[in-house]
Amino acid sequence: MNNEHQRLKVVDAFDLDDELRALLRPGEMVRDEHGRRHRLPRYFYEIPSHEDAMSIALTPHFGMNEFILTDLKESTRLQTFPRYIPCAVRVLAFYLEQLRAAAGASIHIAVNGGYRSPSHKLALAATTHMWGTAADIYRVGTNILKAKESIERYNDLAEELSDDVTVLPYGHVTGKTADDHVHVDIGYVTVIPREISEDRMEMPQENRPRFAFEERRRRERRQPPEPASTT
């Protein structure tokens, strides 16, 4: 998989057009199934084309395309490029990479098993899929996850990665258990790019860079520090 981090652009969803803002609902407060309120993501990666989605690597074994596969339950506008996905997807990909290593086999995310927007027909309450921080895994290696034993095995592996990782227990109650996949969830995580000043978070910011350039960050990290002043 090619490493194409330099193509990733971060956008403030308040800068997008009216239709996209209405579908993504940046910064809006929504309730989960327990009535707890969570603020929807505001900062997204912009994916210009299908070719970019296929070539962008988030980790050595997980590409951007795997997290944006949706069916017709997603809004038509959000299925066309450029596509948008919350920046926290990088954190999820990191944990999935660790799970892959623990399982010793490839991990396959189901359609609708990665990011789902607040406008998706399955997004009835606030779920971490709307933050880009949950994945539904339907196959590990050649093992399709339908048996209780295999789902519980990979649930255990996922939970051993970190206290930040939760799963759905095996069962047949929609949204509370899973009987045909492993649900890996790292919570309602939002990521604020380092270029963003947090002193004006409530409203769109003016006179600041719109895009966060990954390649520029790498150049800055490679530059030697300036010598200390002797005056």
Side-chain angles (χ1 to χ4, degrees):
M1 184 177 295
N2 294 327
N3 191 336
E4 296 288 349
H5 291 305
Q6 68 273 15
R7 294 187 184 180
L8 283 177
K9 294 179 179 179
V10 175
V11 300
D12 182 340
F14 282 114
D15 288 340
L16 300 174
D17 62 56
D18 291 347
E19 182 182 7
L20 283 171
R21 287 200 306 273
L23 294 170
L24 297 174
R25 295 157 55 187
E28 185 175 323
M29 298 294 289
V30 291
R31 294 184 184 275
D32 64 20
E33 61 179 355
H34 303 290
R36 296 173 297 211
R37 285 156 53 88
H38 306 276
R39 192 178 300 278
L40 287 168
R42 173 173 174 173
Y43 299 101
F44 291 76
Y45 286 127
E46 182 181 79
I47 309 166
S49 68
H50 174 72
E51 291 72 22
D52 289 298
M54 294 296 294
S55 66
I56 293 170
L58 295 173
T59 68
H61 297 100
F62 288 92
M64 183 68 81
N65 187 60
E66 299 172 82
F67 296 92
I68 62 172
L69 293 173
T70 55
D71 61 15
L72 297 179
K73 295 183 179 68
E74 186 60 274
S75 163
T76 302
R77 176 70 188 276
L78 295 179
Q79 294 185 66
T80 58
F81 289 93
R83 299 275 295 274
Y84 299 91
I85 185 167
C87 295
V89 69
R90 270 201 194 279
V91 185
L92 175 64
F94 169 82
Y95 280 108
L96 292 179
E97 187 73 26
Q98 310 313 305
L99 179 58
R100 186 186 192 278
S106 58
I107 287 175
H108 302 267
I109 301 172
V111 174
N112 290 327
Y115 174 59
R116 299 199 292 258
S117 81
S119 305
H120 193 284
K121 291 181 180 177
L122 294 179
L124 301 179
T127 74
T128 46
H129 287 285
M130 294 155 61
W131 274 253
T133 53
D136 294 335
I137 300 164
Y138 79 97
R139 179 161 63 93
V140 178
T142 59
N143 184 16
I144 295 180
L145 302 179
K146 288 185 177 290
K148 180 176 186 287
E149 293 77 13
S150 60
I151 289 175
E152 289 184 340
R153 174 192 171 196
Y154 293 115
N155 275 351
D156 289 343
L157 282 179
E159 288 186 312
E160 288 172 2
L161 295 176
S162 169
D163 290 341
D164 296 324
V165 176
T166 60
V167 298
L168 290 181
Y170 179 84
H172 308 288
V173 180
T174 301
K176 297 182 182 297
T177 61
D179 60 5
D180 62 355
H181 67 274
V182 167
H183 172 89
V184 176
D185 180 333
I186 60 171
Y188 297 91
V189 178
T190 57
V191 170
I192 300 173
R194 68 183 69 201
E195 290 84 354
I196 301 300
S197 172
E198 296 184 57
D199 58 355
R200 296 181 61 199
M201 289 299 296
E202 294 304 316
M203 297 295 294
Q205 301 182 64
E206 300 175 354
N207 301 319
R208 56 159 175 75
R210 179 177 176 185
F211 298 121
F213 293 95
E214 300 286 336
E215 185 61 25
R216 189 188 70 211
R217 294 177 186 173
R218 285 167 173 73
R219 288 199 303 269
E220 290 174 348
R221 285 199 290 266
R222 288 196 296 265
Q223 291 175 354
E226 295 182 2
S229 174
T230 58
T231 60

